[in-house]
Amino acid sequence: MNHKKLICILLITLPIQIYYQALASASLKFELGNQFRSKNDSMLLYGLTEAEYAPIKAAVRIFAENPRYKLSLRELTFSNNSEFLNVDIGFMHVAWGETFGFNIVDLINPRDYSDPLFLESIWVKLPVFALNMKYISGSLTIQGIVIPVPRHNILPETDLPVDLRDFNIEDIGHDSEVGAKINYLFDSGLDLGFIYFYHWNRNIVLELKQDRRLNLIEDRIHSLGVTASHLAGNYVFRADSIMHIDQPAQVGFGFQHGTNWQTILGADTTSETQWTLGAQYHMDRSVTDTFHWTSVRLRKPFFSEAIVVETFLFRGLNNKDTWLQPQLTWNISASTSLIARLDLLVAGDAGILPSFKDSDRAFAWFSYKF
Amino acid sequence: MKNIIIFILAIITYAQAAKATGLSADQIVKKVDDIRNPSESYIMKVEVVSTDQQKSVFDVAIRGNDKTLIKTIEPSRDRGRNLLMLDEDMWAYIPNLGRAVRISLNQKLSGQAANGDISRMRWSGDYDAKIAQEDASVLNQWVIMLSANKKGLTYEKIKAWVDKKNFHPIRVEFMTPAGKILKKATYGNYRELAGKIRPNEIAIEDAVRPSDRSVIRILSMEVKELPASLFNQNNLK
């Protein structure tokens, strides 16, 4: 019944979309997805509409997963480009990283940890209201970002109530987050960027209090990072590295401060027959553990991109984390695509996947773009 | 014997033709560029139709020799997958990831956008030109050999046949450093675009896979001042 309601809502908005399309040279996308989770046999249905009519871009998503509905604004930005300056203001996503699979240097957006692994990263990142300015002079880009009112991560569901800090508009200046990225594209092809972000910690740390409530530990921390890509013929080398200084980390039912260092190094290439192969090394060192993983990505289009087969494999080197994600895309027509994906997980007691083991799932979505 | 004399005469006539106009190979290439590109900064809408009748439409924004932004309009399922080319470096915006991803040369060479890219290439400045004399069969045309004078260009060598009357490009071969032909292009359907008679249609044939053919049509062309900030990998979305 809920799914029927959602489809109705989406269909009702269609004439508005069509009118909007006719009115202006807007770009519109309509997407309908269905996810099946093996852990609790639940079905999730979602709809997504995106509209772009320069200089304004907007996106709205509707979730339906019995018995809840969720309507969320995914993007609403106003952009202005002048000769040397680009200014974006509004609810946005910001991507800083070069590597694939995990976006360790994409710090600007908090995450939706209620479903953090399996959806596209653009889904997991929560949009923030920000002022994002870029000064561009030749190969140099200097970017500055201010988030006046920070936003919390969406936490996984727990049986215990969780106490959160209030972020209010009155506390602008005290609570706000600020960041910068300086980027230079060298003649050699090296694209090198340095990142600084002063922000509330993005990792989830919970403290169990005596009244059997959970307290979300939130501290403002400094993060420093570097991101790079280098093109050498048919090979692209990528690197992301970030250091969160004096970040709280979960230790048992309590927490401890310390520096967390995450790095991903990798390379990928595409053959003349359009096979794409990528491999990466991942490292995460915190106050309690150091973990190492490797990941491999394979992609091959067939029949002039009518069918695209992709696989991502993530495997722990000193832990039992294993995540296999095969995906098949069928581009049915110029407007429509059908995508099916599996997430197969194996995990031990250490690593980053233990809380997701036995969470294998199938996910399919249908996309129509006007 | 008669044929040999005709052949020798043809070579002499041909070799003297460029001299007669008083133009160097570089000047000819500059004039050809002026016909293919209206100014330093412009936009155009380009349609690419392949042999299997798959149609793609792109909005292309160009600034100078080295900055190109290609936005996919059709097929609509690929809308948002925009491409930025800065010299030999190229990024593709992947909407589902919400990020610009750097891509390699082989990815650049695949797909219809790469064919569309040929329509915007400027040769002057990036290539050293000389008038080739080996093709004496076409007396009313120059044959220009272009060799890349900088690293990382998609095509290291280009051989272009140019109409002596009006500097219209007639056909072009795009080659590897060793001279292996990768693609062949034929320019045609000249009509007024952005205030000048320009080729409206370019037929492209993959020399390695001859059955792989595409026709590029320039649907519109307009001179427009474009800010430098538009052509930045950190600003691609």
Side-chain angles (χ1 to χ4, degrees):
Chain A
M1 185 62 186
N2 278 344
H3 295 166
K4 284 180 185 170
K5 278 185 188 172
L6 176 74
I7 291 167
C8 285
I9 292 166
L10 291 167
L11 289 176
I12 287 164
T13 62
L14 273 180
I16 301 167
Q17 295 179 24
I18 291 164
Y19 173 75
Y20 189 72
Q21 172 81 352
L23 191 72
S25 56
S27 162
L28 284 167
K29 180 185 176 185
F30 173 77
E31 197 168 290
L32 200 61
N34 194 325
Q35 179 179 274
F36 173 74
R37 306 180 205 203
S38 66
K39 196 171 186 177
N40 52 8
D41 284 346
S42 71
M43 290 276 279
L44 176 147
L45 197 70
Y46 77 88
L48 175 76
T49 63
E50 284 177 358
E52 183 175 4
Y53 181 43
I56 295 169
K57 193 173 180 184
V60 175
R61 184 176 71 184
I62 306 166
F63 260 121
E65 186 177 23
N66 284 334
R68 66 187 173 117
Y69 286 101
K70 200 160 66 177
L71 179 70
S72 60
L73 179 68
R74 303 302 299 164
E75 186 169 3
L76 182 60
T77 52
F78 174 85
S79 302
N80 181 261
N81 278 304
S82 61
E83 177 67 13
F84 299 112
L85 198 66
N86 167 260
V87 179
D88 291 326
I89 187 163
F91 289 92
M92 66 183 76
H93 298 100
V94 177
W96 274 348
E98 295 282 351
T99 54
F100 57 86
F102 295 89
N103 310 123
I104 56 172
V105 298
D106 288 359
L107 301 172
I108 301 299
N109 299 95
R111 301 293 200 268
D112 182 350
Y113 285 112
S114 64
D115 202 347
L117 273 178
F118 309 101
L119 300 174
E120 306 279 2
S121 61
I122 195 74
W123 283 65
V124 175
K125 287 161 126 185
L126 298 170
V128 287
F129 184 85
L131 173 66
N132 180 3
M133 292 177 295
K134 294 183 207 96
Y135 171 76
I136 294 156
S137 176
S139 299
L140 175 71
T141 307
I142 301 172
Q143 182 178 16
I145 292 183
V146 179
I147 303 168
V149 181
R151 192 173 173 185
H152 292 290
N153 295 314
I154 295 177
L155 303 175
E157 286 179 13
T158 69
D159 297 331
L160 299 175
V162 180
D163 294 331
L164 299 171
R165 170 189 285 271
D166 281 334
F167 291 127
N168 295 312
I169 193 94
E170 299 86 51
D171 296 321
I172 288 180
H174 181 261
D175 285 349
S176 57
E177 297 175 317
V178 292
K181 184 186 179 198
I182 296 175
N183 209 89
Y184 195 84
L185 177 61
F186 290 86
D187 289 341
S188 64
L190 174 66
D191 191 14
L192 182 64
F194 293 97
I195 289 165
Y196 168 73
F197 194 40
Y198 182 46
H199 62 106
W200 297 91
N201 60 297
R202 298 282 188 244
N203 60 330
I204 298 177
V205 182
L206 294 164
E207 182 188 30
L208 182 62
K209 297 195 293 187
Q210 286 182 339
D211 59 359
R212 293 203 44 84
R213 293 178 69 87
L214 292 169
N215 184 35
L216 181 69
I217 304 301
E218 291 173 287
D219 285 340
R220 272 216 289 193
I221 60 166
H222 299 274
S223 291
L224 293 166
V226 63
T227 177
S229 67
H230 181 65
L231 181 68
N234 278 322
Y235 291 87
V236 182
F237 296 90
R238 306 175 196 275
D240 287 328
S241 188
I242 190 85
M243 200 171 271
H244 306 293
I245 298 162
D246 209 23
Q247 178 177 256
Q250 190 80 51
V251 180
F253 294 112
F255 66 96
Q256 186 182 330
H257 282 91
T259 295
N260 174 218
W261 178 30
Q262 298 171 305
T263 294
I264 303 177
L265 304 170
D268 45 278
T269 186
T270 301
S271 72
E272 283 185 8
T273 51
Q274 294 305 301
W275 280 96
T276 298
L277 173 67
Q280 292 185 150
Y281 161 74
H282 307 238
M283 188 276 288
D284 189 318
R285 175 179 292 170
S286 67
V287 286
T288 52
D289 295 294
T290 300
F291 293 119
H292 306 274
W293 303 269
T294 185
S295 66
V296 176
R297 181 182 56 158
L298 201 60
R299 183 184 190 274
K300 168 70 177 160
F302 296 94
F303 312 115
S304 305
E305 299 254 347
I307 302 281
V308 181
V309 178
E310 293 167 78
T311 299
F312 175 68
L313 173 65
F314 178 74
R315 181 85 172 91
L317 295 174
N318 64 344
N319 57 81
K320 290 183 178 171
D321 284 350
T322 303
W323 175 19
L324 179 65
Q325 187 186 63
Q327 178 174 307
L328 180 71
T329 303
W330 177 23
N331 292 315
I332 301 164
S333 73
S335 312
T336 50
S337 301
L338 187 63
I339 300 132
R341 177 191 290 178
L342 281 173
D343 287 291
L344 306 169
L345 290 142
V346 177
D349 296 327
I352 57 164
L353 296 180
S355 56
F356 301 103
K357 64 181 170 185
D358 305 323
S359 295
D360 296 344
R361 67 185 68 191
F363 188 36
W365 67 101
F366 172 83
S367 172
Y368 184 86
K369 281 191 183 177
F370 289 89
Chain B
M1 183 65 184
K2 190 182 167 189
N3 285 345
I4 292 171
I5 292 167
I6 290 170
F7 179 69
I8 291 167
L9 282 173
I11 288 176
I12 293 166
T13 313
Y14 179 78
Q16 288 181 338
K19 219 180 269 181
T21 61
L23 291 172
S24 68
D26 285 335
Q27 287 169 315
I28 295 166
V29 168
K30 180 82 178 60
K31 283 182 177 292
V32 174
D33 272 352
D34 288 344
I35 285 172
R36 293 163 50 249
N37 301 281
S39 76
E40 269 293 290
S41 178
Y42 65 100
I43 54 170
M44 60 180 175
K45 184 168 275 190
V46 174
E47 177 192 87
V48 184
V49 181
S50 59
T51 30
D52 54 0
Q53 293 307 305
Q54 287 199 20
K55 189 174 88 171
S56 303
V57 178
F58 305 102
D59 272 342
V60 185
I62 294 144
R63 183 172 154 141
N65 265 16
D66 58 341
K67 296 182 179 68
T68 306
L69 178 63
I70 301 176
K71 292 190 170 188
T72 306
I73 307 300
E74 289 180 38
S76 53
R77 67 163 187 265
D78 288 341
R79 205 174 296 146
R81 296 177 79 92
N82 301 329
L83 300 173
L84 175 69
M85 298 177 198
L86 301 178
D87 253 337
E88 68 269 35
D89 298 304
M90 187 168 171
W91 289 262
Y93 184 80
I94 312 295
N96 288 344
L97 299 179
R99 67 173 61 237
V101 175
R102 196 150 183 196
I103 60 175
S104 64
L105 187 64
N106 272 340
Q107 284 169 291
K108 178 179 176 178
L109 286 170
S110 74
Q112 300 293 37
N115 287 331
D117 184 37
I118 283 175
S119 64
R120 62 99 212 180
M121 279 177 63
R122 275 192 180 86
W123 303 329
S124 180
D126 287 350
Y127 291 89
D128 292 327
K130 67 173 186 182
I131 298 171
Q133 298 181 0
E134 68 268 32
D135 192 344
S137 61
V138 279
L139 298 179
N140 58 344
Q141 294 172 16
W142 284 297
V143 182
I144 312 283
M145 279 304 300
L146 298 140
S147 303
N149 58 22
K150 58 196 273 193
K151 279 186 173 178
L153 296 177
T154 312
Y155 305 103
E156 290 274 343
K157 284 186 177 175
I158 295 173
K159 189 176 181 181
W161 283 257
V162 178
D163 194 321
K164 285 182 184 173
K165 291 198 301 288
N166 46 26
F167 302 98
H168 286 178
I170 297 163
R171 65 188 174 102
V172 173
E173 291 172 351
F174 300 93
M175 293 179 274
T176 64
K180 183 188 170 191
I181 300 169
L182 294 170
K183 285 183 179 174
K184 295 176 182 177
T186 308
Y187 293 77
N189 195 14
Y190 278 80
R191 68 177 179 90
E192 191 169 321
L193 284 165
K196 207 168 184 177
I197 302 296
R198 306 179 196 280
N200 175 242
E201 208 168 272
I202 308 165
I204 295 183
E205 181 186 311
D206 191 317
V208 184
R209 293 174 289 266
S211 60
D212 213 349
R213 292 178 188 189
S214 299
V215 176
I216 300 171
R217 287 187 192 90
I218 298 167
L219 305 177
S220 63
M221 189 181 260
E222 183 189 339
V223 174
K224 192 174 183 180
E225 285 299 313
L226 299 165
S229 62
L230 193 67
F231 302 92
N232 183 282
Q233 71 277 22
N234 299 293
N235 214 9
L236 182 62
K237 50 192 169 190

